[in-house]
Amino acid sequence: MSGTQSSTDRTPTENADVCIVGAGPAGALVADRLAAAGHEVVVLEAGPRFDPEKREERMENHLRPGDDTPIWGMGGPRDAYTSSGGRYYPLNAARVKGVGGSTLHWQGMVMRLHEQDFRLDSELDVAEDWPIDYADLRPYYAAAEEALAVAGASDNPFAPPRDQPHPLPAFPPSYSDSLFAEACEALEITTHSVPNARNSEPTDGESACVGYGTCRPVCPSGAKYHALRHVDSAQEEGARVIDEVPVQKLEHDGSGERVTAAVYVTPEGETYRQAADEFVLAAGGVETPRLLLLSESEQYPDGLANSSGAVGRYFMDHLFAGVGGRLDERTRQKHVGFNTTESHQFYDREDDSRGAIKLECLNYAGPAPSDIAMDADSFGDDLLEEIRAGYGNHVAMGALVEQFPRAENRITLDRSRTDDHGNPVPEVVWSLDDRTRRTIERANEIQRSVLSEMGADIEWVVGPDSTGPAYHHMGTTRMGTDPESSVVDPDLRTHDLANLSIAGSSVFVTGGAMNPTLTIAALSLKAADAIDARL
């Protein structure tokens, strides 16, 4: 695989048409699309290339008792941050800096946003409408599902309309799904399959899912989609991907209308300027606004592309709500490391009293055998009995819950603390509002009713006071048609600079309650088409 080798030459690319910052799913898809169209593309990635051949070793390290080494190398001065506001935000808990980005460790669930998600202001007089609607993204959603090799049954009665089935067959329901199905039917809750960006059958040299169950943080087989697939494809088309070169700032011309270069640093401490005709920021919902703020100049004292003041603001995430317990029967927990059944019945909002809810039947309830063994003091037969007693009859329901955009939730710079290159670290200012709390409470209410119908002894609840983020960083460079209130236009080009585009979830206007990667992919393909047309 061409994507496994670390860069040896980190000097700039001459005569580049496009410079992309970030080699996660957004950057990889844009690079692949534009390189295939014949453009000279260079991708600058802050983190290293992780060798796919070492996936099993990484999985073993993750499971080995007493090994607290970060699986993907996060932490230290490079990744320093601060958190303020009403809730602490554990930013590094689910970030990856490296070629492949978050797809190296993500869950792999991929859903389309609902039609209502694009028009919350028009329908409910809350938040803002997107400047595009579902129909605009519909063909790009289909293309994204093909690109990510999504497995699904296309059986969701609440989902928006689609023109063709999912590319791969769906994964069958798990055994615990059948236990949930009976209770949900009694409560008139409609369930359906979960689209997953993992191979249900072999494709293009990648194996089918073999059920290790360690999907997060490591898929040892490579069956789950990872952006290296499109990094490799882009390189085969002539793109160049340079790893371990964190971009320090973007420079602009004298008129302030165009970006002229991305300034980056090599591991040896050399500083280079990468020039290009078009620039794309695809560094995620935290590092993208941070880089824009770091790129302040005399002409742009508040940061680049920030004439609206919206860069870094309207930070959103999804919140988790959950209820779990035990049954007096075996549930085969942990036999599947990802969700196969969910319900969107409570997703669309009837009024402005709550946000969207995506209910999930969890296949990874309770502890894994390795977790029990790590906490045990027993050995031999005694340990085996302890594992048997603590494993195998757990059930749980989860939910992703919507958080509406608020200007006070934001990514800004903490100028009192610097990273390993002397730059101010990102500060996450985050809190929950009453509407989000009500939505979590409603999710818990539904979850309790299902587990009670199953006859489970409820042992834990994750509610408004114990909830945490899903690490879906959205909204910090929002899309819109008004330059005074948004950062990018419907083609994801910044209002302030004619040759700077942004790809990723930072452009989301609202977040819904869907895992964002499929929408990231669809928007990235849309942005690539617009850039191709300009070139």
Side-chain angles (χ1 to χ4, degrees), residues 103 188 267 275 354 466:
T103 58
E188 298 184 338
R354 68 164 177 86
S466 55

Side-chain angles (χ1 to χ4, degrees), residues 356-400:
I357 298 171
K358 177 171 73 74
L359 286 176
E360 303 169 335
C361 299
L362 303 183
N363 283 325
Y364 37 88
S370 60
D371 296 328
I372 299 173
M374 287 173 61
D375 294 334
D377 295 323
S378 306
F379 296 91
D381 290 342
D382 291 339
L383 175 59
L384 180 60
E385 287 305 312
E386 200 167 329
I387 291 174
R388 285 173 173 167
Y391 172 80
N393 65 338
H394 292 262
V395 289
M397 291 193 80
L400 284 190

Side-chain angles (χ1 to χ4, degrees), residues 31-309:
D32 184 50
R33 191 89 152 194
L34 293 177
H39 302 296
E40 186 72 28
V41 176
V42 58
V43 183
L44 305 176
E45 168 56 49
R49 296 176 188 253
F50 297 98
D51 187 351
E53 299 303 319
K54 294 185 177 180
R55 285 187 292 241
E56 290 189 30
E57 180 182 327
R58 290 183 183 279
M59 177 193 71
E60 292 169 2
N61 290 340
H62 169 64
L63 296 175
R64 185 175 292 115
D67 190 342
D68 296 326
T69 304
I71 298 299
W72 300 108
M74 291 299 298
R78 183 195 71 170
D79 307 314
Y81 69 94
T82 60
S83 176
S84 61
R87 289 291 180 102
Y88 176 74
Y89 196 95
L91 182 60
N92 284 342
R95 284 204 296 176
V96 176
K97 290 182 180 178
V99 179
S102 61
T103 58
L104 296 173
H105 76 149
W106 67 317
Q107 189 76 1
M109 295 182 288
V110 280
M111 306 87 176
R112 301 182 182 193
L113 289 174
H114 282 208
E115 291 172 288
Q116 190 189 58
D117 287 324
F118 295 91
R119 49 178 191 252
L120 289 186
D121 183 33
S122 298
E123 289 201 7
L124 302 176
D125 196 27
V126 295
E128 300 283 343
D129 286 352
W130 290 50
I132 59 175
D133 58 23
Y134 174 74
D136 295 317
L137 272 192
R138 188 168 173 174
Y140 289 106
Y141 269 134
E145 288 168 345
E146 288 287 343
L148 273 57
V150 177
S154 310
D155 62 342
N156 182 351
F158 310 104
R162 53 186 306 121
D163 299 314
Q164 62 280 313
H166 287 88
L168 295 179
F171 286 89
S174 68
Y175 177 76
S176 63
D177 285 345
S178 67
L179 303 178
F180 280 108
E182 186 175 345
C184 287
E185 183 177 2
L187 295 172
E188 298 184 338
I189 296 175
T190 300
T191 59
H192 44 81
S193 67
V194 180
N196 277 280
R198 49 175 49 81
N199 292 345
S200 56
E201 57 188 30
T203 61
D204 297 331
E206 299 277 12
S207 76
C209 176
V210 293
Y212 278 119
T214 67
C215 308
R216 190 176 57 186
V218 184
C219 172
S221 70
K224 184 176 62 176
Y225 172 80
H226 52 85
L228 283 171
R229 295 182 190 176
H230 284 97
V231 167
D232 289 348
S233 176
Q235 288 180 299
E236 290 168 2
E237 295 286 351
R240 185 169 174 231
V241 180
I242 310 176
D243 70 331
E244 295 188 273
V245 286
V247 175
Q248 306 298 293
K249 63 178 180 178
L250 300 178
E251 295 179 340
H252 60 78
D253 61 11
S255 69
E257 296 178 355
R258 297 182 66 84
V259 173
T260 55
V263 179
Y264 64 90
V265 179
T266 70
E268 295 74 29
E270 297 174 293
T271 299
Y272 291 112
R273 299 173 69 259
Q274 176 62 62
D277 295 327
E278 291 276 345
F279 291 81
V280 181
L281 291 187
V286 173
E287 292 297 334
T288 288
R290 180 193 179 209
L291 181 56
L292 291 172
L293 295 174
L294 288 174
S295 300
E296 61 190 11
S297 65
E298 184 175 345
Q299 192 162 353
Y300 293 110
D302 297 322
L304 211 57
N306 195 27
S307 62
S308 64

Side-chain angles (χ1 to χ4, degrees), residues 320-325 362 365-366 394-398 451 457-462:
F320 179 78
V323 175
L362 303 183
H394 292 262
V395 289
M397 291 193 80
L451 264 66
D457 292 326
I458 295 175
E459 296 182 332
W460 57 265
V461 175
V462 175

